[in-house]
Amino acid sequence: MTLDPIHVENIAQLAYDIAGDVDTTDHDDLAGRVWRDWLPELRRDGRVVIEPVDEHERRRAPIDDAALTDRPFETVHGLDSGTINPTTFKNGLVVDVAHAAMASTPSDLDLHRDRTIVATVHAGDSTASFGGEWRERDGGHTRQRVLHAPRVNRYAEGVVHALALYLAEGTHALDHADEVDDLLVLDGPIYPKELFTWDDRNPELGALAREAKPRAVVEKYVRLVERFVERDVPLAGFVKNPSSGTIVRALARKGVEPPWPDDTALFTRLLERREGDGPAGGGARGGNASAGRDDRVDDELTFTTWFRSRGGADATMAADGDALGIDRALDPELYEPAFMVVYDPRTDVTYKLEAPYAFARDPSVRDRLTRQVLADVATTRGPPEAVGKADELARIAATEKAALRRKFEERFDSDQQATYDDRRWGKEPY
């Protein structure tokens, strides 16, 4: 049954009721004040959590010029990991399988064939034992293993998903690090930040993050940074859906009521430009904005200069963080995440590019990374081409997920635990 026209009209009326109580020009003023007065050195509890690496500016780049410019890096490698998603079976097992691949531009078909596969298993039975050594298949082109996840009373699905995803990705990146000559871009952050957020979600998960197996997963990324610093080859992460809340939470603790749900919404407000805006772009909207929404200016990418981040999930790898107890061979501040933000007005999407401070501290490397990501976004309207290729290689299609789950059901002699929502939302039959 669909909504009747009167129902649609009544629901739409709610938008007018909500809009009447919201003055978005106040949001613009606050965004501009946050940029000018807070972000040059944002503190939380006396500790600097966000600060510029060097300049503190919002900039613009004509899209056509950015797309046609020469790329600063001759070759770019991308890396991604896909999963079948956590699956619970009636015998008590919770399983996820991750599959990592690396791609390059220009293409390298032998490299594209190489895969790393990890199946992570959580068992309710404390006597169950899984796991083992890495095994090679496909003539050495595939490495795979089973990892027995530490036991938890809750969040078993989240645990198996994170450990499978990051172990496959981190291992594949380390195994192929020496094949990267100019630049490696991970599909996502430069560290397994989901593991870093376990502390905030539940004390049991926070303790779990410091156990041997999760720490070994995080250590892969620490060693990856060290390997690339040693080789003097930049390492970056392209975050397609950034969700950090470091800035808005710090503002809230200072008594400022941020109207944005996360930092991405704030940066979008700062970087989006409309016809009535002043020369500074977002946060300086003209006085006619209250009369209606002006057309978006969509012929230029807008972006920030670089920041160092030590708050939220990034606190773990900050110079004064403990890195979950993992030894760091370099100066601890070199592991700190640094980032810039890029906004594409054609798609109204905001992206984040991350890099370890070991690379971001160098003005020439920052400039090259910035020009590279602007050229890629201008050309693809999305992630860098190498990241898009890696995503295609690593992605496990819905039909393939269903087939793999059937295989697990056969081998376990146990059905997947189904829910009503599986039927309600037309989940792929197994």
Side-chain angles (χ1 to χ4, degrees):
M1 178 178 292
T2 58
L3 295 173
D4 291 334
I6 186 62
H7 301 145
V8 174
E9 182 179 342
N10 290 340
I11 292 172
Q13 180 61 43
L14 294 174
Y16 293 99
D17 296 340
I18 295 170
D21 293 329
V22 177
D23 185 354
T24 57
T25 59
D26 289 344
H27 297 180
D28 292 330
D29 293 341
L30 179 58
R33 187 158 64 89
V34 169
W35 178 264
R36 292 188 308 270
D37 301 338
W38 297 99
L39 283 184
E41 190 176 272
L42 183 66
R43 293 177 177 270
R44 179 171 178 175
D45 299 328
R47 178 175 175 268
V48 177
V49 292
I50 299 286
E51 67 174 338
V53 173
D54 192 357
E55 307 94 339
H56 179 54
E57 297 176 346
R58 286 173 287 171
R59 296 176 175 174
R60 302 179 297 181
I63 290 176
D64 291 342
D65 291 349
L68 295 174
T69 190
D70 290 337
R71 302 304 196 263
F73 296 95
E74 185 175 345
T75 61
V76 178
H77 287 71
L79 189 138
D80 192 18
S81 182
T83 78
I84 67 170
N85 295 331
T87 307
T88 301
F89 295 89
K90 292 180 180 178
N91 62 4
L93 297 181
V94 183
V95 179
D96 201 357
V97 179
H99 163 250
M102 182 180 284
S104 68
T105 53
S107 294
D108 179 342
L109 297 184
D110 284 339
L111 174 69
H112 292 184
R113 181 179 173 183
D114 291 348
R115 307 298 165 90
T116 299
I117 303 173
V118 175
T120 303
V121 185
H122 181 278
D125 181 0
S126 61
T127 64
S129 179
F130 310 95
E133 301 300 319
W134 289 98
R135 296 183 180 180
E136 292 190 353
R137 306 200 59 163
D138 187 23
H141 285 282
T142 296
R143 292 185 71 206
Q144 62 186 53
R145 67 167 293 187
V146 175
L147 178 70
H148 188 183
R151 290 192 67 213
V152 289
N153 294 320
R154 299 171 58 196
Y155 304 111
E157 291 191 346
V159 168
V160 298
H161 176 73
L163 293 181
L165 179 75
Y166 291 125
L167 179 58
E169 180 184 86
T171 300
H172 201 73
L174 267 179
D175 286 349
H176 294 83
D178 292 343
E179 298 179 48
V180 179
D181 295 321
D182 299 302
L183 173 66
L184 173 63
V185 184
L186 305 182
D187 188 342
I190 55 174
Y191 294 114
K193 295 185 183 180
E194 187 174 340
L195 301 185
F196 299 163
T197 64
W198 284 1
D199 248 338
D200 296 331
R201 293 168 58 187
N202 181 275
E204 182 184 13
L205 278 179
L208 178 67
R210 297 175 181 279
E211 290 190 13
K213 290 176 182 176
R215 285 177 69 248
V217 171
V218 175
E219 187 174 0
K220 296 278 186 184
Y221 291 81
V222 174
R223 303 299 167 237
L224 187 67
V225 171
E226 293 168 355
R227 177 81 65 84
F228 276 77
V229 170
E230 178 185 1
R231 299 182 62 236
D232 196 24
V233 175
L235 167 69
F238 186 87
V239 187
K240 294 178 287 190
N241 298 293
S243 59
S244 172
T246 300
I247 299 172
V248 295
R249 286 195 298 268
L251 292 173
R253 289 177 69 90
K254 291 177 178 292
V256 179
E257 292 188 15
W260 312 285
D262 56 27
D263 296 350
T264 302
L266 167 61
F267 279 114
T268 300
R269 193 79 181 189
L270 287 164
L271 294 174
E272 183 186 33
R273 299 174 59 241
R274 292 187 178 272
E275 295 292 348
D277 288 352
R285 193 146 294 164
N288 64 345
S290 59
R293 287 168 59 83
D294 295 329
D295 290 338
R296 182 184 297 118
V297 177
D298 63 359
D299 61 345
E300 293 179 315
L301 298 177
T302 50
F303 58 100
T304 69
T305 46
W306 287 76
F307 295 90
R308 295 171 71 173
S309 178
R310 306 183 186 94
D314 293 333
T316 304
M317 294 307 300
D320 57 357
D322 70 350
L324 299 182
I326 297 167
D327 290 334
R328 290 177 279 189
L330 307 173
D331 184 333
E333 76 166 359
L334 299 182
Y335 299 85
E336 290 186 345
F339 72 91
M340 63 162 293
V341 178
V342 181
Y343 173 72
D344 187 344
R346 299 168 298 178
T347 55
D348 194 25
V349 176
T350 301
Y351 306 105
K352 178 192 282 189
L353 183 70
E354 293 189 351
Y357 183 62
F359 298 110
R361 63 177 176 165
D362 185 330
S364 65
V365 176
R366 286 199 309 275
D367 176 68
R368 293 167 66 206
L369 288 173
T370 299
R371 288 189 289 119
Q372 182 73 38
V373 75
L374 292 175
D376 287 336
V377 171
T379 302
T380 67
R381 292 177 175 246
E385 182 182 358
V387 171
K389 284 184 179 181
D391 178 77
E392 291 178 6
L393 292 174
R395 183 185 304 130
I396 304 174
T399 54
E400 296 167 334
K401 292 178 182 179
L404 289 169
R405 290 189 183 114
R406 283 197 299 270
K407 291 289 186 183
F408 277 99
E409 286 182 324
E410 293 171 4
R411 298 300 296 172
F412 293 163
D413 193 23
S414 178
D415 294 333
Q416 180 186 346
Q417 183 67 53
T419 67
Y420 174 72
D421 281 349
D422 294 339
R423 298 183 61 187
R424 182 184 183 190
W425 302 115
K427 194 170 182 179
E428 184 75 23
Y430 307 120

